[in-house]
Amino acid sequence: MIRRRPGAGRGPAGPAPAPPGTLPELLAHRAAAHGERTAIVNGQARLGFADWQDRSGALAGALRQAGLAAGDRVVLWFGTESWTQYAVAFLAVLRAGGVAVPLSDRTSPAGTRHVFADAGARLVVSAGPGLPAGVPPGVRALVEDGASPHQALVEDGASPHQALPDPAAPGPSAPAQILYTSGTTGAPKGVVAAHANLVHGCTRDERRRPLRHSRTFLHAFPVGSNAGQTMLVNALNAEATCVTAPQFTPARFLRAVAEHGVGSVFVVPAMAIELLGSPALASAADAGGLDTVRLVGSTAAALPQQVALDLSRAFAPAQIVNYYTSTEAAPAQVTLLFDAARPQSPGRPASLTDLRVTDGAGRPVPPGGTGELWLRSPTAPRAYLGGADVEVFHGGWTRMGDLGRVDEDGFLHLVDRERDVVKSGGHKVSTLQVENALHAHPDVVDAAAVGVPHPVLGSVVAAAVVPRGTDPVGSGGDRDRLTASAVRAFLLGLLSPHELPSPIVFLDALPRNEGGKVLKRDLRRILTPDPREATP
């Protein structure tokens, strides 16, 4: 094992060293410079940089022994309680010359079958024996169990492949990862990223490591999500140690903040809503458990205005940051610093160089005008597996599928997802604006809006609301006091008549995927009225 004294490699000021060309190069550098330092904490598990290097090298050898050839796709099937093992497996696949295909262990059998068939994977690495439901016949399985990896053949009597020689180090343009989109509106799409794409922004310069204001940073993102992959790269590149929660609950998450002296907290809006609705938040604040937090970052979906305001108060004086990106666009992103004095905007971008507001033909709109949002990748852009929907990618730019504008002060305003805008009669209604208004109601914990068919207007806005309190109907909780007519009366002061949602349905929880995104196709089925009961 490689061992170095803590802090070795910092050296005197001088020319910045060349950036790493791949994530395995970065890991080798961190292992040599900071071998004893902890990179990832996951519950009781700890992974240091030297151990990460050693274990990923051993697993890379086992993958080659199992027959992995350069460019072969390997599914990594892990849960949030196995983040250290997942990190080892991801780097092992890249070191062996393969292409990593991260997949959460909570993926449905149908989703698993789709990923294996679409990616053409014939190898899978998991945290323990047994394979996910939906794995096709003939797939070979390896285990990263935290000790020595071992091979388990799926088919009885299958013979091992002949070991192949170690591959040459992959070039920056070689594919490294296939990440699947969330599939909230259709079948998940595989998005291919090259080594240069994944390592962009990483450094060997110890003076320029990100998150230097934090001793640790915390997240609870699942394997297989773009947010989770960003945290994996942060674990390799940041000054701070990555703490990842094995399972997200508000109480456990807040205990981790206090236990590890967390300086940077990363959430998706669904997690932020749960944190704000939990009594554990007030208890943590009273006990001083939030005092170390200097940054709260939100990603994966639009953060409702009221939620952003409440976060800024709960974690004061921490800066609330919205990260605007997508699985297709990364590492391109816009970092938005939220301003509580301008809550109608997620924030002002530090730079507008790589953000474009365009008309339908891709031409820039005049300043202040509403149009499609595009992001430009600063490095090798991503692409869909098989080249599907090439209209999303244009010469380094990615169409985000969102409508928005930048005001005269430079603040970004998100109007809505382009596909979610409701065309009701002669009006266009932003579901995002309706959701922001619903979240402003003091008895609403969570809310989402979609368009549903209407016999006269074509479509109207419908909403699902999660009331504050979880008492069942009739027990005297807040949900008994909250009615659809009361919510609509509240919204009269915030929305125009054509924006008022009807119907409004009360749910125990919104349908969300593991990454926290609302499954609007499921919500639409819930909210679509029976046509026999519709009236003009």
Side-chain angles (χ1 to χ4, degrees):
M1 275 188 190
I2 301 170
R3 291 288 185 264
R4 297 288 186 272
R5 62 180 176 82
R10 293 180 182 274
T22 64
L23 292 181
E25 285 184 25
L26 177 59
L27 175 59
H29 168 79
R30 297 300 305 268
H34 313 121
E36 298 287 357
R37 188 182 296 182
T38 299
I40 301 176
V41 176
N42 182 226
Q44 298 302 310
R46 302 289 189 275
L47 180 66
F49 285 109
D51 289 340
W52 198 347
Q53 175 78 349
D54 293 339
R55 284 170 55 182
S56 63
L59 182 55
L63 286 164
R64 298 292 294 167
Q65 182 69 31
L68 177 71
D72 283 354
R73 285 81 181 263
V74 182
V75 169
L76 306 179
W77 193 68
F78 289 87
T80 53
E81 75 288 348
S82 304
W83 253 93
T84 57
Q85 293 153 274
Y86 166 64
V88 168
F90 188 91
L91 267 293
V93 171
L94 270 56
R95 292 180 67 178
V99 180
V101 186
L103 188 64
S104 168
D105 67 352
R106 292 176 59 183
T107 304
S108 69
T112 300
R113 281 192 295 271
H114 169 73
V115 168
F116 271 91
D118 192 61
R122 291 293 174 264
L123 281 166
V124 59
V125 183
S126 64
L131 286 175
V135 173
V139 170
R140 299 164 67 82
L142 286 86
V143 173
E144 211 306 309
D145 62 0
S148 58
H150 63 276
Q151 182 178 349
L153 301 181
V154 175
E155 296 180 310
D156 292 340
S159 58
H161 289 204
Q162 182 178 359
L164 301 174
D166 289 340
S173 63
Q177 169 189 282
I178 301 173
L179 200 62
Y180 278 80
T181 59
S182 58
T184 54
T185 58
K189 298 176 183 176
V191 180
V192 183
H195 284 272
N197 181 282
L198 296 184
V199 81
H200 177 76
C202 295
T203 183
R204 292 186 229 244
D205 190 340
E206 304 307 320
R207 301 163 298 181
R208 291 175 171 82
R209 297 222 166 273
L211 300 179
R212 295 183 67 86
H213 65 277
S214 303
R215 184 169 61 85
T216 56
F217 66 93
L218 172 68
H219 77 93
F221 300 146
V223 167
S225 66
N226 191 56
Q229 289 304 97
T230 299
M231 294 299 111
L232 178 65
V233 175
N234 279 347
L236 271 171
N237 191 51
E239 177 75 12
T241 295
C242 173
V243 180
T244 178
Q247 182 183 24
F248 177 81
T249 67
R252 290 193 183 108
F253 197 75
L254 293 166
R255 279 200 300 270
V257 172
E259 177 184 352
H260 297 284
V262 170
S264 299
V265 173
F266 295 98
V267 296
V268 296
M271 293 176 183
I273 290 167
E274 284 195 59
L275 287 171
L276 292 169
S278 171
L281 183 63
S283 299
D286 291 342
L290 309 181
D291 292 351
T292 57
V293 178
R294 293 294 175 266
L295 180 149
V296 178
S298 178
T299 189
L303 191 62
Q305 294 171 11
Q306 189 61 49
V307 175
L309 279 170
D310 291 344
L311 276 181
S312 67
R313 293 164 185 151
F315 285 89
Q319 173 68 57
I320 309 301
V321 179
N322 286 287
Y323 297 98
Y324 181 65
T325 186
S326 69
T327 302
E328 291 89 340
Q333 72 173 18
V334 177
T335 301
L336 302 162
L337 303 181
F338 178 72
D339 183 347
R342 305 281 293 265
Q344 68 278 11
S345 166
R348 179 162 46 193
S351 171
L352 295 171
T353 303
D354 296 322
L355 174 68
R356 176 187 286 175
V357 184
T358 76
D359 61 16
R363 298 174 299 234
V365 302
T370 296
E372 296 182 17
L373 299 180
W374 293 28
L375 285 184
R376 180 170 56 187
S377 175
T379 183
R382 298 184 176 188
Y384 285 128
L385 183 63
D389 291 342
V390 292
E391 286 300 311
V392 172
F393 304 98
H394 292 267
W397 290 87
T398 301
R399 296 175 68 171
M400 299 298 289
D402 293 316
L403 299 176
R405 63 183 177 87
V406 177
D407 67 23
E408 63 278 3
D409 295 321
F411 284 80
L412 177 67
H413 296 259
L414 296 176
V415 174
D416 207 353
R417 294 290 291 171
E418 191 172 12
R419 64 172 176 258
D420 289 342
V421 173
V422 180
K423 297 178 181 178
S424 182
H427 301 283
K428 291 184 178 180
V429 181
S430 162
T431 60
L432 195 59
Q433 184 172 343
V434 174
E435 290 167 1
N436 279 325
L438 287 165
H439 275 279
H441 193 293
D443 289 330
V444 170
V445 172
D446 203 357
V450 295
V452 297
H454 188 275
V456 174
L457 300 175
S459 297
V460 292
V461 183
V465 169
V466 178
R468 191 169 304 282
T470 57
D471 296 331
V473 173
S475 67
D478 288 328
R479 110 178 8 218
D480 299 324
R481 299 197 306 269
L482 202 58
T483 64
S485 58
V487 172
R488 283 172 60 84
F490 173 83
L491 296 177
L492 282 171
L494 300 173
L495 299 173
S496 300
H498 61 271
E499 296 174 316
L500 294 174
S502 181
I504 295 174
V505 175
F506 296 98
L507 301 176
D508 291 332
L510 298 181
R512 295 182 182 270
N513 64 14
E514 189 185 7
K517 291 186 177 180
V518 175
L519 296 170
K520 290 211 168 182
R521 65 174 182 269
D522 294 351
L523 194 60
R524 198 168 282 111
R525 284 195 290 266
I526 295 170
L527 293 174
T528 299
D530 188 326
R532 294 169 297 182
E533 299 176 2
T535 57

